[in-house]
């Protein structure tokens, strides 16, 4: 059930360069079902900026009625959000979208979680659940540079973790796909979230695997009504059939939509 | 006694609040959030003869107190709207206003003829003002004689009253309004979006894939208010006002300008519960203003002052 609620800030800190970790508490948390879902945040009380900001859910603590999200302060909207302090309220609409299914992989099997930049956070809750289910989790996390790296230790606590940076300042120099290619052992499922070129590269090389991709697109309403974040389906690339990233996704099976 | 009910051609509204076309799909998404029976009406997404995918993304860009969109009339086409969307809406006690769009006169006529026969379609909204469709549609909304003729042709085939949605992207809005009134329009809906553009600082290129888009939201409200203020004095058909409405006080301002009902658009994206909230707020605001029935507000900005006991509050 989608709800609109003002949640209170439990903690808020900068954990990497311009990367913020925000924990909120409220009733709405009990509605959060799947890793990979997102919330739509109203960052100002007024009309500017007007639209909400879609931010993925990083971890959920149902008992405490808290959830954490990680976002990059980039534009005017997220810069305003970055100013919120403990005790203040944040207007949240959610949870929205369909996330990652944790039941696509059996206990004892191996899931590789591939994240790029600000696409890394939703993989954290997914990894926690998979590990709890007895799945062997491997993480490959890509960032621009070492200052942008976050949650490396958190992921390491859950399983094997590899970091790649574009400039080689942390971990492997290069892309997540470079690490994935060299990975030994069998892979039963790949879950991924990150920039479109990364998702495309994964789809090209691993379409024979069970592969799930979480997409990013500019959104309006976030609930499927405005048709801002629409993409073509892969079987009808020029036609009229479509999927909405916000409400049909953001997670799709590889080959379902045109990237 | 209701203080919000409004009678308009074809439309018996329990309240004058309805979601604007293109901002509410066909209601399915919002029906999961609240009971659509609360609404006065619903203006469904523009329907064209054939299904349309619409424009490439990005389709939206934010602006100060507003947003630009260039969706491009994405819709499942007349057949699916008739066979799936409208029957689905029949579960609600909701008069539907069907937004009819096209790029050729024949397309408008065919869609209008068919869709006006659906049992729950109580009025048409003739969309001659979408700024995001390239194929010649713009002439319908900017040349008075062309708009008048299209209105006339659509009126000939429609089973229900026809409201014409006016574009603000004209030099003389009154002339357009009078032209479609002459063409037989039963009402007006105004305003559609204002043409705009945003350019990305990094790339130096327009943000929208379509380059330009339609500006909506609170930023355009003063433009709409001014146009309704002018048009409502010049024509005798009712106006459904729209453009940046966010709360009950905006609704009253539209009525004061000369509107008889209003549609809420972009605000649904910021707060999906905005329509029921406004409906709940309205009687309280009427109390504060000392107004008995909302219809008393209509045209207050230009009617002679003595008609209103505005000091009684």
């Amino acid at each position: 059930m989608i709800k609109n609620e003002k949640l209170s800030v439990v903690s808020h800190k900068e954990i990497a360069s311009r990367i913020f970790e925000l924990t909120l508490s409220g009733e709405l948390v009990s509605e959060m079902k799947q890793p990979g879902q997102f919330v739509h945040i109203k960052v100002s009380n007024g009309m500017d900026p007007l639209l909400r900001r879609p931010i993925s859910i990083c971890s959920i603590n149902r008992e405490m009625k808290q959830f954490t999200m990680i976002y990059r302060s980039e534009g005017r909207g997220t810069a305003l959000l970055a100013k919120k302090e403990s005790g203040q309220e944040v207007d949240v609409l959610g949870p929205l979208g369909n996330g990652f299914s944790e039941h696509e992989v059996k206990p004892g099997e191996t899931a590789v979680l591939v994240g790029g930049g600000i696409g890394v956070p939703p993989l954290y809750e997914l990894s926690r659940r998979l590990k709890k289910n007895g799945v062997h989790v491997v993480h490959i996390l890509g960032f621009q540079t070492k200052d942008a790296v976050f949650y490396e230790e958190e992921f390491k606590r859950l399983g094997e973790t590899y970091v790649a940076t574009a400039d080689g300042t942390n971990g492997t120099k290069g892309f997540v796909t470079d690490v994935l290619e060299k990975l030994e052992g069998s892979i039963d499922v790949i879950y991924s979230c990150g920039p479109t070129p990364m998702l495309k590269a994964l789809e090209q090389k691993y379409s024979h695997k069970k592969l799930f991709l979480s997409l990013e697109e500019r959104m309006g309403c976030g609930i499927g009504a405005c048709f801002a974040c629409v993409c073509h389906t892969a079987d009808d690339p020029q036609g009229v059939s479509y999927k909405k990233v916000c409400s049909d996704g953001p997670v799709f099976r590889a080959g379902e939509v045109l990237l | 006694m209701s203080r919000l009910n409004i009678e308009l051609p074809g439309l018996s509204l329990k309240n004058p609040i309805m979601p604007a076309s293109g901002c509410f799909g066909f209601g399915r998404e919002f029906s999961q959030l609240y009971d659509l029976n609360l609404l006065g009406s619903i203006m469904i997404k523009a329907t064209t003869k054939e299904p349309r995918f619409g424009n490439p993304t990005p389709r939206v860009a934010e602006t100060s107190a507003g947003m630009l969109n260039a969706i491009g009339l994405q819709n499942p086409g007349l057949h699916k709207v008739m066979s799936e969307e409208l029957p689905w809406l029949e579960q609600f006690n909701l008069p539907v206003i069907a937004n009819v769009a096209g790029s050729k006169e024949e397309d408008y006529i065919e869609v209008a003829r068919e869709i006006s026969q659906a049992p729950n379609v109580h009025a048409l909204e003739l969309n001659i003002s979408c700024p995001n469709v390239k194929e010649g549609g713009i002439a319908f909304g900017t040349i008075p004689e062309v708009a008048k003729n299209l209105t006339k042709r659509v009126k000939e085939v429609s089973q229900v009253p026809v409201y014409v949605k006016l574009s603000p992207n004209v030099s003389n809005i009154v002339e357009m309004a009078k032209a479609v009134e002459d063409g037989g329009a039963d009402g007006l809906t105004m305003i559609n979006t204002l043409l705009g553009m945003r350019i990305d600082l990094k790339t130096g290129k327009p943000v929208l894939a379509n380059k330009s888009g339609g500006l909506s939201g609170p930023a355009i409200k003063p433009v709409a208010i001014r146009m309704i203020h002018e048009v409502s004095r010049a024509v005798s058909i009712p106006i459904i006002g729209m453009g940046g409405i966010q709360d009950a006080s905006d609704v009253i301002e539209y009525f004061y300008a000369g509107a008889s009902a209003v549609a809420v658009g972009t605000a649904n994206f910021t707060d999906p519960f905005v329509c029921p909230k406004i409906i709940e707020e309205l009687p309280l605001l009427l109390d504060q203003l000392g107004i008995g029935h909302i219809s008393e507000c209509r045209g207050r900005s230009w009617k002679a002052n003595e008609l209103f006991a505005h000091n009684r509050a």
Side-chain angles (χ1 to χ4, degrees):
Chain A
M1 178 83 180
I2 299 167
K3 286 190 174 160
N4 182 205
E5 188 187 335
K6 290 208 166 73
L7 274 68
S8 55
V9 177
V10 176
S11 69
H12 198 181
K13 54 178 187 263
E14 190 169 1
I15 56 170
S17 173
R18 294 187 299 133
I19 304 290
F20 290 80
E21 180 197 58
L22 172 59
T23 300
L24 299 174
S25 128
E27 296 299 322
L28 186 149
V29 175
S30 55
E31 303 291 333
M32 294 177 175
K33 301 280 186 284
Q34 276 181 317
Q37 288 186 296
F38 65 99
V39 289
H40 221 15
I41 306 283
K42 182 93 174 80
V43 293
S44 80
N45 295 326
M47 299 175 196
D48 195 19
L50 188 68
L51 297 175
R52 290 174 178 269
R53 298 291 184 273
I55 298 176
S56 57
I57 296 164
C58 174
S59 65
I60 305 163
N61 185 336
R62 278 170 167 265
E63 291 72 40
M64 301 277 287
K65 290 185 178 164
Q66 293 182 359
F67 82 100
T68 297
M69 55 194 193
I70 291 175
Y71 64 94
R72 181 161 52 214
S73 173
E74 264 193 308
R76 241 162 7 114
T78 40
L80 273 176
L81 183 60
K83 288 188 182 137
K84 295 273 185 187
E85 292 171 3
S86 292
Q88 286 187 311
E89 288 185 326
V90 178
D91 184 330
V92 180
L93 180 73
L96 303 177
N98 298 297
F100 295 107
S101 169
E102 59 192 280
H103 304 297
E104 292 289 341
V105 53
K106 295 190 192 81
E109 290 186 332
T110 299
V112 180
L113 281 57
V114 183
I118 207 62
V120 166
L123 300 178
Y124 185 63
E125 176 68 23
L126 174 65
S127 180
R128 295 209 306 180
R129 294 198 186 189
L130 293 176
K131 189 176 161 70
K132 207 172 157 194
N133 295 348
V135 173
H136 175 231
V137 285
V138 179
H139 316 105
I140 304 175
L141 314 176
F143 300 95
Q144 278 302 317
T145 180
K146 69 174 187 341
D147 292 343
V149 177
F150 59 91
Y151 265 44
E152 190 179 353
E153 290 309 313
E154 282 81 350
F155 277 100
K156 273 183 180 165
R157 267 178 242 136
L158 297 170
E160 229 174 292
T161 301
Y162 303 91
V163 169
T165 48
D167 62 2
T169 50
N170 184 340
T172 304
K173 182 180 187 336
F175 297 113
V176 287
T177 41
D178 300 331
V179 180
L180 187 54
E181 275 167 24
K182 290 180 192 141
L183 206 64
E184 286 169 16
S186 67
I187 299 172
D188 297 295
V189 59
I190 303 172
Y191 295 101
S192 180
C193 182
T196 307
M198 185 191 101
L199 301 181
K200 272 188 181 165
L202 287 170
E203 196 174 57
Q204 270 167 20
K205 289 178 186 157
Y206 298 94
S207 56
H208 58 290
K209 295 269 181 204
K210 215 189 245 188
L211 168 63
F212 295 90
L213 311 168
S214 182
L215 272 60
E216 214 177 40
E217 183 56 84
R218 246 171 224 270
M219 288 180 189
C221 66
I223 63 170
C226 77
F227 288 79
C229 63
V230 164
C231 54
H232 284 282
T233 55
D235 57 6
D236 186 23
Q238 304 290 325
V240 295
S241 79
Y242 65 88
K243 294 281 178 187
K244 299 178 224 174
V245 173
C246 70
S247 57
D248 295 320
V251 176
F252 295 97
R253 197 176 275 270
E256 200 177 347
V257 298
L258 198 67
L259 294 176
Chain B
M1 263 278 284
S2 174
R3 307 163 69 185
L4 300 179
N5 64 310
I6 295 280
E7 296 295 323
L8 294 176
L11 300 165
S12 203
L13 307 174
K14 49 190 168 295
N15 65 65
I17 309 299
M18 61 194 84
S21 180
C23 300
F24 211 76
F26 294 91
R28 287 183 194 263
E29 293 78 16
F30 288 86
S31 74
Q32 293 166 29
L33 304 181
Y34 62 85
D35 181 4
L36 298 189
N37 286 312
L38 292 168
L39 299 169
S41 172
I42 171 177
M43 291 169 146
I44 57 172
K45 191 148 175 49
T47 300
T48 52
K49 189 179 155 198
E50 303 296 339
R52 283 179 62 95
F53 181 81
N55 292 324
T57 57
R59 293 174 166 188
V60 295
E62 207 171 21
T63 64
S64 295
M67 70 178 278
L68 291 165
N69 89 79
I71 306 298
L73 297 181
Q74 180 161 22
N75 79 94
L78 176 63
H79 178 72
K80 264 209 168 145
V81 172
M82 291 291 288
S83 63
E84 290 176 20
E85 303 300 342
L86 286 168
W88 179 82
L89 276 166
E90 277 182 41
Q91 65 185 293
F92 303 103
N93 174 27
L94 202 56
V96 174
I97 302 176
N99 186 295
V100 173
S103 45
K104 296 199 299 278
E105 194 177 79
E106 302 78 61
D107 294 351
Y108 277 106
I109 289 165
E110 185 170 343
V111 176
R113 180 190 288 125
E114 293 294 318
I115 212 165
S116 67
Q117 291 173 31
N120 51 344
V121 169
H122 290 212
L124 301 186
E125 180 180 46
L126 193 57
N127 188 350
I128 57 167
S129 46
C130 180
N132 298 326
V133 182
K134 290 193 173 71
E135 307 98 30
I138 200 75
F140 293 116
T142 52
I143 303 172
E145 204 53 30
V146 178
K148 177 182 165 180
N149 286 334
L150 182 69
T151 307
K152 206 184 256 176
R153 298 280 314 269
V154 167
K155 271 296 286 178
E156 283 163 14
V157 299
S158 177
Q159 305 292 313
V160 295
V162 175
Y163 292 68
V164 179
K165 188 165 192 173
L166 298 185
S167 169
N169 305 309
V170 295
S171 50
N172 190 337
I173 190 78
V174 170
E175 197 187 350
M176 285 300 300
K178 282 181 162 171
V180 300
E181 185 181 35
D182 277 353
D186 299 283
L188 301 170
T189 67
M190 57 193 287
I191 59 174
N192 206 322
T193 55
L194 286 147
L195 264 178
M197 184 184 283
R198 262 203 68 194
I199 295 169
D200 186 284
L201 206 62
K202 285 181 199 154
T203 64
K205 302 280 183 249
V207 173
L208 296 173
N210 189 52
K211 296 189 178 73
S212 67
L215 179 64
S216 64
I220 72 165
K221 198 184 85 179
V223 179
I225 294 288
R226 187 271 294 177
M227 289 186 161
I228 292 169
H229 181 265
E230 284 183 11
V231 169
S232 60
R233 284 178 297 163
V235 299
S236 54
I237 49 177
I239 296 170
I240 301 175
M242 60 198 64
I245 293 173
Q246 301 207 109
D247 57 27
S249 55
D250 292 333
V251 176
I252 301 297
E253 195 175 343
Y254 267 83
F255 270 76
Y256 283 171
S260 298
V262 296
V264 179
T266 305
N268 288 296
F269 302 157
T270 308
D271 177 3
F273 300 92
V274 67
C275 286
K277 272 184 198 165
I278 292 175
I279 293 162
E280 202 180 312
E281 282 171 12
L282 268 174
L284 307 174
L285 184 57
L286 291 177
D287 282 345
Q288 280 176 30
L289 295 168
I291 295 162
H293 194 280
I294 192 161
S295 57
E296 295 164 34
C297 301
R298 193 187 159 264
R300 188 167 186 166
S301 62
W302 47 260
K303 280 182 188 165
N305 279 341
E306 59 267 28
L307 288 177
F308 296 97
H310 65 274
N311 292 327
R312 71 188 168 189

